[in-house]
Structures are given as C-alpha cells and as structure tokens.
Amino acid sequence: MEKFQTLRTSGVPLPLENIDTDQIIPARFLKATTREGFGTNLFCDWRYNADGSPKPEFVLNDPRYQGQILVAGKNFGCGSSREHAAWALYDAGFRAVISSYFADIFRGNALNTGLLPLQMSDEVLARLLAAIEADPTLELVVDLPAQTLAVPAWGETFSFAIDPYKKECLINGYDDIDFLVNQKSAIAAFEKQRAWTW
Amino acid sequence: MPRPLFDKIWDAHVVRSLDALDVVYIDRHLIHEVTSPQAFDELAARGLELFRPSQILATADHNVPTLNQHLPIAEPLSRSQVDKLTENCQKYGIELYGLGHERQGIVHVIGPELGLTQPGLTMVCGDSHTSTHGAFGAVAFGIGTSQVAQVMASQCLLLSRPKRMRISVEGELRPGVTAKDLILYIIAQLGTGGATGHFVEYAGSAVRSLSMEGRMTVCNMSIEMGARGGLIAPDATTFAYVAGRPFAPQGAAWDDAVAYWQTLYSDEDAVFDTEFTYDAAAITPMITYGTNPGMGIAITGHVPNEVPAAEAESFDKSLKYMGFERGESLLGKQIDYVFIGSCTNSRIEDLRAVAAYVAGKQKAEHVAAFIVPGSKQVEQQAIAEGIDKIFAAAGFELREPGCSACLAMNEDKIPAGAYCVATSNRNFEGRQGPGSRTLLASPLVAAITAVQGRIVDITQYLN
Ligand code: SF4
C-alpha cells in the first residue's frame, strides 16, 4: 500500500445519495483475477452509453474536473462488499472520498486500499459541493497527520476522525496482514484454550 | 454485567485488544471465485502460508452459468476465474465444492445446509450477505478482499466492536406476509444507511416464530440497511435444523454444543445502543419501487409524494430510472420477468411456497419466469418432491444453482428497460443487467405476479 500523508488537489462533485458499489463498479467487471485496471470501468453505466461513447453530462467526462478527491452524497459505498470499488476509484486516480456518511465495509476497504474516506458534516458537504460546482479548481488540502481538510479559499480548516491505528497504517503504508501475522503465537495459544471445538 | 448476545460471541473470540481494536478470531471462512483470487495473490506475493486451511470452505457460485453446468464454462473470463479458484484450492489444500459437486451452491445457502453454520461461531466471507448465517446466532459478516487475505494468513481480523441494535417485531404476521416482507418493511422504515455502524439482533415473537429459512431471509438483508450483520438468538428451531447435518457435532459433542448454545441469548437487562420495536400486524406484503432496498412500500401502497429536499435529486433520478412517478400506485403494472433465486430466497422452503401457489396454474404468457435453486441439494430435493414438474407444467423454468440474475455476472441478465420482480436482495441500477428494472418481493409475491402478469394485491389471490 502506498503511503498517504498530505494531498493538495481539487474535488470532483457527485451529489447523489446512497451511491452503491454496483454503480462504482458493476458486477460484470468483477471477472478479473488481479487488482489492476478497474479504473476504466469506474461508474461505467453512468459514464458511458451502451455503445461505449462517453456521456458528456457525467462529471468524470467533464474536463473541468481533474482533482483526486471525489466529493459524494451521503451514505457512499453502500451495498456489496467488493473491494474492487475502492480499487476502481484508486486506479482512476482518486486518493480520497469526501462524504457525510460511509457504508462500513466500503470504509474499511478504502482504508486497506490507501484511499482516504473523509467524513464531513452534512452542512460542510453541501457547502463543498456547491463551491466546487461554482469553481471546479477550488483547492482542497488534506493533512492526514493533522487530521484536517483545509479549504484555503475560505480560510477554513475542518478536522476529521480516523482510527489512530488506521491512520498510522496509511501514513506508513502498512496494512493489517503484517500486524496479524506477527500475532500468530498468541492466536495459536487462543485456539488451544477456546471452549468450542466442534 | 448483562450483555447482548452479540457481545457474548464477540468477547469469546477476542485474542487480544489494543485501544479501540480487537484481534478477533474467525472460526469459519467461506470463499468463492470472485473475491478470492487477489487474496491468494497477496499471500503468494508476501510469501505467506495459509494459516488454517481446514477452516476454509470454497464454492463457485457468483459467476457460474445456470444451464448446462456439466459442460465447460463457455465465457472465457468466467471460466478462468472459476479455474483459478480450483487451482488455488488445490495448491493450498482447501475443500472446494465446485461446479458439478453435489454440495455446490450459493455460499450462504450451502453453509447452513451442510451444518457448517452453527450458533456461537464467527464466520466471514468476501460477500456482504454473509450476515445470512446470523440466523443461527453466529456473528457473521462480509469482508473485503484485503481482509480475506488477512483471515487466510492469520485466521483473525483486526476490528472495532460495532454498536448494537435490537429490532423487535412482536405479534403475528398476517396471511400472505412472509419473512421477506418483514425485512423489506424494516428496511423501508430505517433506510439504506439506518443501521450503519451497528450489528443488529432481531427479536420478538414474530421473529421467533419464523422457520430457519425465514430467519435466514431476514438476517440476509441486514446489510441493506447498512448493518455490519444481523443475528437471532438460537433456540429449539435452530437446534432442530442443525441436528444431523454433515458438519454438525455428533454424539457427546452434540450435547456439549447444545448446552453451550443454550447460553447464547441477550441477558435480560442488556443495553443496546439503539432499539426499535414494530408491530407484526402492521406489516403487509411489500414491494420496492426504486433503486435501493429501502425504497419499499406495501404492494397496495403508493410511491411517496414528498421527500426531504436533500434527497430529492437522488429520489427523482431513481424514479426516472424505474419509469415510475411520485405518488402513483404500482397495482396493474405489467411485469416482464420473474426471478426466484439468490441467497435471500432460493431455499427449499421458498421453492415449496412458489410450487404450492402455482400448482395447476399457468404463468402469464408475456412473463419469463425462472427459478434458480440455491444449491445442488435444493435442486435435488425439489426434483425428489416433484416440484420440478409443477414448475414445468406452470411454464416456470428451473435452472441449475448459482447467484444468477441476482447480480447478473453470468448470462442471466434482464434486458434494459424490462421490469423484473425478483426475490433477491438488491434493486440497484443495473444490478440485474444494464438498464434492468428490479422490484424486490417475496417468493409468494413473485409467484402470484408471474401468474397474473402484473402487480396485484396478492391478498386477493391467496390459495
Ligand atoms: S445470490 Fe446475490 S447477494 Fe447472494 S451471494 Fe450471490 S450475488 Fe451475492
């Protein structure tokens, strides 16, 4: 996993609620056996017509939006557990998603992919969406060690919550496997004493 | 200290704790072809061993054809994904119930059916509907592929304890109202994000009176309101279902197991972070009109007229996709497809319910009705009971087991613009194929719709 420390970029607005992982990456693209290449099919059915031509009205086809942060409506990433959704966003160049609410599994998958889920209040999210639509170049600055999102044009900084262990992992590019594999002797001891063996 | 059932099971599986996170031991790990290949690669890339191969069970379900399963899979990408699973299982010594095996089927159907799913266990799978197994009083939940690799490498996950929610449904369900209606009703009340961050316990007399199949349907859809999982305290119904199944404890071990399982309930004064209580008599046959499972109404009801301003854009986009209007009734709408299947409703009890209704009747001419059993065993049972003949006579096509049109990874797709009443769990845009329009409902509603060819007040048509 790549290290994540700070990010200075602009946002891509997608002001819909309950965006599910079937929209982020439709099931028919889950046949690959590797992690790479899902970015091409990110939001496929919203992004392309049936003949493969781009739908000009969809935000990812709008050349004014080039940023690395997706700014999306409430309850982002609900539905399927497919980590492919996080991989597709990452593969398409996104490094963070801002929403006012994330589905649990998506949040975990994003953190395990190196994609930062950044939860803001409904109010801040609404302000961000409006401001980005008015000015697609609006600069956003994420500082993970400080746990802040700054909007320099507003002179405002918002803090966000993240589990301290997960934060360390992202900053250093570590993941849970390394940690868990080091616990093997404790795990084996646990197996010996557990009550149920059937 | 009085504890909720969830905590009793979780606490018994904590290897160690660090601040807000627990190292949680996982008893059973189910894998399938779609979310496992990258996890196996991860292990290989790091030179890690598979820690406990005997605690993993594999099957091929998401991506398999439902016709001619005895032939090699025609679609090259699907075939390579299924082959990859076979290869990995051989390499690591994992039991695989692949295509053609008498125990093959949808991962959440075969676990319970084989007695692998038991009270008090922790179970995971790279699939969000792993919550199904909670029907037995297990802590079961879906995980992403990185976590699949973690469990393979350590048989553990590093997790924060979710909040606990209890949803009680008291009283008796009315005629024609099934477990599916009960859960669609709850999700319609709470919305798709209403239980995010929580593990749900379903309780109350209406839940206790459900069969194991019905309980599985309820727990299955927990994720559709954002819950990490759902569970129901095990009782005599549970024990009777598990007894004698291939992986169930036998002899003295069975007695020990039952003695332990009987301790698995929420203590009387246990505190939940959130509680809801519903009246079973208020629940009617349900159907969804929109593009998330929270958009459900009584089948005789109306699409809402008013929605909060913040939701209006998503709401209208959804109605436009479905071809419905605010405030309208769905009664009389013509339906093109009926799909009976998926880990929500493809068990033998579901097939029996459909057969009991359609026996001696005919599907409407313009409707394509197909039934995809949840497992090879369900299929065999249906044949043994003569249910297959009832379906054939009524014009319903009985296919071979798999996820099929629930997620349309294989050829079983609903064409763009067509309406499908489905017994599955998701009505997302394009879920059943690009442009497909899904209306979620119970097997009984699906059966009646197939015969009538349109949406009707099913209570007028009960046998
Ligand atoms: S039947 Fe549908 S919901 Fe169930 S495991 Fe298969 S794809 Fe997932």
Side-chain angles (χ1 to χ4, degrees), chain B residues 61-62 106-108 127-129 220 341-344 402-404 406-407 424-426 431:
Chain B
D61 57 0
H62 279 65
I106 303 175
V107 62
H108 311 310
D127 187 283
S128 58
H129 295 98
N220 174 275
S342 92
C343 56
T344 316
C403 294
S404 179
C406 171
L407 89 167
S424 45
N425 45 44
R426 286 188 175 143
R431 173 79 177 182

PDB file of all heavy atoms in Angstrom, chain B residues 61-62 106-108 127-129 220 341-344 402-404 406-407 424-426 431, ligand 1:
ATOM      1  N   ASP B  61     -20.001 -19.897  -7.255  1.00  0.00           N
ATOM      2  CA  ASP B  61     -21.417 -19.524  -7.292  1.00  0.00           C
ATOM      3  C   ASP B  61     -21.717 -18.236  -8.046  1.00  0.00           C
ATOM      4  O   ASP B  61     -22.633 -18.178  -8.848  1.00  0.00           O
ATOM      5  CB  ASP B  61     -21.972 -19.428  -5.859  1.00  0.00           C
ATOM      6  CG  ASP B  61     -21.217 -18.443  -4.967  1.00  0.00           C
ATOM      7  OD1 ASP B  61     -20.259 -17.820  -5.439  1.00  0.00           O
ATOM      8  OD2 ASP B  61     -21.589 -18.295  -3.788  1.00  0.00           O
ATOM      9  N   HIS B  62     -20.911 -17.192  -7.842  1.00  0.00           N
ATOM     10  CA  HIS B  62     -21.268 -15.880  -8.371  1.00  0.00           C
ATOM     11  C   HIS B  62     -21.293 -15.820  -9.896  1.00  0.00           C
ATOM     12  O   HIS B  62     -22.053 -15.091 -10.489  1.00  0.00           O
ATOM     13  CB  HIS B  62     -20.286 -14.828  -7.850  1.00  0.00           C
ATOM     14  CG  HIS B  62     -20.594 -14.362  -6.467  1.00  0.00           C
ATOM     15  ND1 HIS B  62     -20.529 -15.186  -5.376  1.00  0.00           N
ATOM     16  CD2 HIS B  62     -20.979 -13.146  -5.992  1.00  0.00           C
ATOM     17  CE1 HIS B  62     -20.860 -14.498  -4.292  1.00  0.00           C
ATOM     18  NE2 HIS B  62     -21.138 -13.264  -4.639  1.00  0.00           N
ATOM     19  N   ILE B 106     -24.885 -21.565  -3.739  1.00  0.00           N
ATOM     20  CA  ILE B 106     -24.581 -20.223  -3.246  1.00  0.00           C
ATOM     21  C   ILE B 106     -24.000 -20.364  -1.843  1.00  0.00           C
ATOM     22  O   ILE B 106     -24.549 -21.080  -1.002  1.00  0.00           O
ATOM     23  CB  ILE B 106     -25.835 -19.335  -3.203  1.00  0.00           C
ATOM     24  CG1 ILE B 106     -26.480 -19.246  -4.589  1.00  0.00           C
ATOM     25  CG2 ILE B 106     -25.487 -17.937  -2.694  1.00  0.00           C
ATOM     26  CD1 ILE B 106     -27.801 -18.490  -4.606  1.00  0.00           C
ATOM     27  N   VAL B 107     -22.916 -19.673  -1.634  1.00  0.00           N
ATOM     28  CA  VAL B 107     -22.142 -19.834  -0.407  1.00  0.00           C
ATOM     29  C   VAL B 107     -23.006 -19.711   0.863  1.00  0.00           C
ATOM     30  O   VAL B 107     -22.822 -20.459   1.820  1.00  0.00           O
ATOM     31  CB  VAL B 107     -20.932 -18.863  -0.466  1.00  0.00           C
ATOM     32  CG1 VAL B 107     -21.385 -17.406  -0.522  1.00  0.00           C
ATOM     33  CG2 VAL B 107     -19.972 -19.077   0.650  1.00  0.00           C
ATOM     34  N   HIS B 108     -23.977 -18.817   0.842  1.00  0.00           N
ATOM     35  CA  HIS B 108     -24.798 -18.622   2.044  1.00  0.00           C
ATOM     36  C   HIS B 108     -25.966 -19.619   2.130  1.00  0.00           C
ATOM     37  O   HIS B 108     -26.713 -19.615   3.103  1.00  0.00           O
ATOM     38  CB  HIS B 108     -25.322 -17.189   2.112  1.00  0.00           C
ATOM     39  CG  HIS B 108     -24.243 -16.197   1.899  1.00  0.00           C
ATOM     40  ND1 HIS B 108     -23.053 -16.254   2.600  1.00  0.00           N
ATOM     41  CD2 HIS B 108     -24.120 -15.163   1.036  1.00  0.00           C
ATOM     42  CE1 HIS B 108     -22.276 -15.271   2.177  1.00  0.00           C
ATOM     43  NE2 HIS B 108     -22.888 -14.607   1.235  1.00  0.00           N
ATOM     44  N   ASP B 127     -18.188 -11.368   0.948  1.00  0.00           N
ATOM     45  CA  ASP B 127     -19.517 -11.147   0.371  1.00  0.00           C
ATOM     46  C   ASP B 127     -20.400 -10.539   1.445  1.00  0.00           C
ATOM     47  O   ASP B 127     -20.479 -11.071   2.557  1.00  0.00           O
ATOM     48  CB  ASP B 127     -20.114 -12.482  -0.094  1.00  0.00           C
ATOM     49  CG  ASP B 127     -21.408 -12.255  -0.836  1.00  0.00           C
ATOM     50  OD1 ASP B 127     -22.427 -12.006  -0.172  1.00  0.00           O
ATOM     51  OD2 ASP B 127     -21.378 -12.305  -2.063  1.00  0.00           O
ATOM     52  N   SER B 128     -21.082  -9.463   1.111  1.00  0.00           N
ATOM     53  CA  SER B 128     -21.799  -8.711   2.148  1.00  0.00           C
ATOM     54  C   SER B 128     -22.979  -9.479   2.752  1.00  0.00           C
ATOM     55  O   SER B 128     -23.413  -9.159   3.846  1.00  0.00           O
ATOM     56  CB  SER B 128     -22.271  -7.375   1.597  1.00  0.00           C
ATOM     57  OG  SER B 128     -23.088  -7.578   0.479  1.00  0.00           O
ATOM     58  N   HIS B 129     -23.488 -10.477   2.056  1.00  0.00           N
ATOM     59  CA  HIS B 129     -24.641 -11.205   2.592  1.00  0.00           C
ATOM     60  C   HIS B 129     -24.274 -12.359   3.520  1.00  0.00           C
ATOM     61  O   HIS B 129     -25.117 -13.206   3.841  1.00  0.00           O
ATOM     62  CB  HIS B 129     -25.566 -11.653   1.465  1.00  0.00           C
ATOM     63  CG  HIS B 129     -26.166 -10.466   0.786  1.00  0.00           C
ATOM     64  ND1 HIS B 129     -25.666  -9.961  -0.376  1.00  0.00           N
ATOM     65  CD2 HIS B 129     -27.167  -9.646   1.171  1.00  0.00           C
ATOM     66  CE1 HIS B 129     -26.358  -8.876  -0.699  1.00  0.00           C
ATOM     67  NE2 HIS B 129     -27.273  -8.662   0.223  1.00  0.00           N
ATOM     68  N   ASN B 220     -30.162 -12.121   6.163  1.00  0.00           N
ATOM     69  CA  ASN B 220     -29.514 -11.882   4.870  1.00  0.00           C
ATOM     70  C   ASN B 220     -29.520 -10.410   4.499  1.00  0.00           C
ATOM     71  O   ASN B 220     -28.512  -9.871   4.035  1.00  0.00           O
ATOM     72  CB  ASN B 220     -30.267 -12.706   3.810  1.00  0.00           C
ATOM     73  CG  ASN B 220     -29.811 -12.452   2.398  1.00  0.00           C
ATOM     74  OD1 ASN B 220     -30.270 -11.517   1.753  1.00  0.00           O
ATOM     75  ND2 ASN B 220     -28.884 -13.264   1.909  1.00  0.00           N
ATOM     76  N   GLY B 341     -34.796 -16.675  -6.826  1.00  0.00           N
ATOM     77  CA  GLY B 341     -33.472 -17.209  -6.536  1.00  0.00           C
ATOM     78  C   GLY B 341     -32.724 -16.302  -5.585  1.00  0.00           C
ATOM     79  O   GLY B 341     -33.333 -15.469  -4.914  1.00  0.00           O
ATOM     80  N   SER B 342     -31.414 -16.476  -5.493  1.00  0.00           N
ATOM     81  CA  SER B 342     -30.472 -15.708  -4.663  1.00  0.00           C
ATOM     82  C   SER B 342     -30.403 -16.232  -3.231  1.00  0.00           C
ATOM     83  O   SER B 342     -31.290 -16.948  -2.773  1.00  0.00           O
ATOM     84  CB  SER B 342     -30.813 -14.219  -4.616  1.00  0.00           C
ATOM     85  OG  SER B 342     -31.654 -13.939  -3.524  1.00  0.00           O
ATOM     86  N   CYS B 343     -29.361 -15.810  -2.515  1.00  0.00           N
ATOM     87  CA  CYS B 343     -29.165 -16.270  -1.138  1.00  0.00           C
ATOM     88  C   CYS B 343     -30.262 -15.788  -0.212  1.00  0.00           C
ATOM     89  O   CYS B 343     -30.353 -16.223   0.923  1.00  0.00           O
ATOM     90  CB  CYS B 343     -27.792 -15.834  -0.639  1.00  0.00           C
ATOM     91  SG  CYS B 343     -27.519 -14.063  -0.751  1.00  0.00           S
ATOM     92  N   THR B 344     -31.117 -14.862  -0.677  1.00  0.00           N
ATOM     93  CA  THR B 344     -32.227 -14.401   0.165  1.00  0.00           C
ATOM     94  C   THR B 344     -33.381 -15.411   0.136  1.00  0.00           C
ATOM     95  O   THR B 344     -33.968 -15.709   1.170  1.00  0.00           O
ATOM     96  CB  THR B 344     -32.758 -13.036  -0.333  1.00  0.00           C
ATOM     97  OG1 THR B 344     -31.647 -12.206  -0.629  1.00  0.00           O
ATOM     98  CG2 THR B 344     -33.617 -12.364   0.709  1.00  0.00           C
ATOM     99  N   GLY B 402     -26.793 -21.218  -8.549  1.00  0.00           N
ATOM    100  CA  GLY B 402     -25.792 -20.149  -8.631  1.00  0.00           C
ATOM    101  C   GLY B 402     -26.443 -18.829  -8.275  1.00  0.00           C
ATOM    102  O   GLY B 402     -27.639 -18.770  -7.983  1.00  0.00           O
ATOM    103  N   CYS B 403     -25.657 -17.758  -8.309  1.00  0.00           N
ATOM    104  CA  CYS B 403     -26.182 -16.427  -7.968  1.00  0.00           C
ATOM    105  C   CYS B 403     -27.043 -15.863  -9.091  1.00  0.00           C
ATOM    106  O   CYS B 403     -27.958 -15.089  -8.857  1.00  0.00           O
ATOM    107  CB  CYS B 403     -25.041 -15.476  -7.667  1.00  0.00           C
ATOM    108  SG  CYS B 403     -24.135 -15.937  -6.178  1.00  0.00           S
ATOM    109  N   SER B 404     -26.681 -16.209 -10.308  1.00  0.00           N
ATOM    110  CA  SER B 404     -27.541 -15.919 -11.460  1.00  0.00           C
ATOM    111  C   SER B 404     -27.940 -14.448 -11.565  1.00  0.00           C
ATOM    112  O   SER B 404     -27.113 -13.555 -11.374  1.00  0.00           O
ATOM    113  CB  SER B 404     -28.761 -16.844 -11.380  1.00  0.00           C
ATOM    114  OG  SER B 404     -29.655 -16.617 -12.442  1.00  0.00           O
ATOM    115  N   CYS B 406     -29.285 -12.495  -9.717  1.00  0.00           N
ATOM    116  CA  CYS B 406     -29.169 -11.615  -8.548  1.00  0.00           C
ATOM    117  C   CYS B 406     -28.165 -10.526  -8.836  1.00  0.00           C
ATOM    118  O   CYS B 406     -28.367  -9.374  -8.478  1.00  0.00           O
ATOM    119  CB  CYS B 406     -28.759 -12.391  -7.310  1.00  0.00           C
ATOM    120  SG  CYS B 406     -28.372 -11.298  -5.947  1.00  0.00           S
ATOM    121  N   LEU B 407     -27.044 -10.887  -9.472  1.00  0.00           N
ATOM    122  CA  LEU B 407     -26.058  -9.854  -9.816  1.00  0.00           C
ATOM    123  C   LEU B 407     -25.643  -9.912 -11.272  1.00  0.00           C
ATOM    124  O   LEU B 407     -24.825  -9.102 -11.700  1.00  0.00           O
ATOM    125  CB  LEU B 407     -24.836  -9.892  -8.876  1.00  0.00           C
ATOM    126  CG  LEU B 407     -23.642 -10.772  -9.215  1.00  0.00           C
ATOM    127  CD1 LEU B 407     -22.470 -10.413  -8.343  1.00  0.00           C
ATOM    128  CD2 LEU B 407     -23.944 -12.214  -9.174  1.00  0.00           C
ATOM    129  N   SER B 424     -34.514 -11.557  -4.908  1.00  0.00           N
ATOM    130  CA  SER B 424     -33.161 -11.299  -4.426  1.00  0.00           C
ATOM    131  C   SER B 424     -33.159 -10.115  -3.461  1.00  0.00           C
ATOM    132  O   SER B 424     -34.208  -9.745  -2.929  1.00  0.00           O
ATOM    133  CB  SER B 424     -32.230 -11.108  -5.615  1.00  0.00           C
ATOM    134  OG  SER B 424     -32.820 -10.259  -6.569  1.00  0.00           O
ATOM    135  N   ASN B 425     -32.023  -9.502  -3.249  1.00  0.00           N
ATOM    136  CA  ASN B 425     -31.907  -8.512  -2.183  1.00  0.00           C
ATOM    137  C   ASN B 425     -31.527  -7.116  -2.643  1.00  0.00           C
ATOM    138  O   ASN B 425     -31.447  -6.201  -1.842  1.00  0.00           O
ATOM    139  CB  ASN B 425     -30.898  -9.008  -1.147  1.00  0.00           C
ATOM    140  CG  ASN B 425     -29.663  -9.570  -1.829  1.00  0.00           C
ATOM    141  OD1 ASN B 425     -29.149  -8.969  -2.774  1.00  0.00           O
ATOM    142  ND2 ASN B 425     -29.196 -10.729  -1.383  1.00  0.00           N
ATOM    143  N   ARG B 426     -31.214  -6.946  -3.918  1.00  0.00           N
ATOM    144  CA  ARG B 426     -30.776  -5.616  -4.370  1.00  0.00           C
ATOM    145  C   ARG B 426     -31.476  -5.216  -5.657  1.00  0.00           C
ATOM    146  O   ARG B 426     -31.562  -6.003  -6.595  1.00  0.00           O
ATOM    147  CB  ARG B 426     -29.262  -5.591  -4.569  1.00  0.00           C
ATOM    148  CG  ARG B 426     -28.584  -5.578  -3.228  1.00  0.00           C
ATOM    149  CD  ARG B 426     -27.100  -5.369  -3.309  1.00  0.00           C
ATOM    150  NE  ARG B 426     -26.622  -5.257  -1.939  1.00  0.00           N
ATOM    151  CZ  ARG B 426     -25.467  -5.740  -1.497  1.00  0.00           C
ATOM    152  NH1 ARG B 426     -24.641  -6.335  -2.339  1.00  0.00           N
ATOM    153  NH2 ARG B 426     -25.135  -5.599  -0.234  1.00  0.00           N
ATOM    154  N   ARG B 431     -28.329  -3.701 -11.579  1.00  0.00           N
ATOM    155  CA  ARG B 431     -27.935  -4.877 -10.807  1.00  0.00           C
ATOM    156  C   ARG B 431     -28.195  -6.173 -11.590  1.00  0.00           C
ATOM    157  O   ARG B 431     -27.407  -7.095 -11.562  1.00  0.00           O
ATOM    158  CB  ARG B 431     -28.699  -4.900  -9.483  1.00  0.00           C
ATOM    159  CG  ARG B 431     -28.518  -6.160  -8.649  1.00  0.00           C
ATOM    160  CD  ARG B 431     -27.207  -6.159  -7.896  1.00  0.00           C
ATOM    161  NE  ARG B 431     -27.084  -7.342  -7.055  1.00  0.00           N
ATOM    162  CZ  ARG B 431     -26.056  -7.591  -6.253  1.00  0.00           C
ATOM    163  NH1 ARG B 431     -25.050  -6.747  -6.178  1.00  0.00           N
ATOM    164  NH2 ARG B 431     -26.017  -8.684  -5.533  1.00  0.00           N
TER     165      ARG B 431
HETATM  166  S1  SF4 C   1     -27.067 -14.597  -4.512  1.00  0.00           S
HETATM  167 FE1  SF4 C   1     -26.670 -12.458  -4.923  1.00  0.00          FE
HETATM  168  S2  SF4 C   1     -26.477 -11.465  -2.965  1.00  0.00           S
HETATM  169 FE2  SF4 C   1     -26.328 -13.676  -2.637  1.00  0.00          FE
HETATM  170  S3  SF4 C   1     -24.147 -14.124  -2.644  1.00  0.00           S
HETATM  171 FE3  SF4 C   1     -24.883 -14.387  -4.714  1.00  0.00          FE
HETATM  172  S4  SF4 C   1     -24.600 -12.414  -5.688  1.00  0.00           S
HETATM  173 FE4  SF4 C   1     -24.420 -12.075  -3.509  1.00  0.00          FE
END
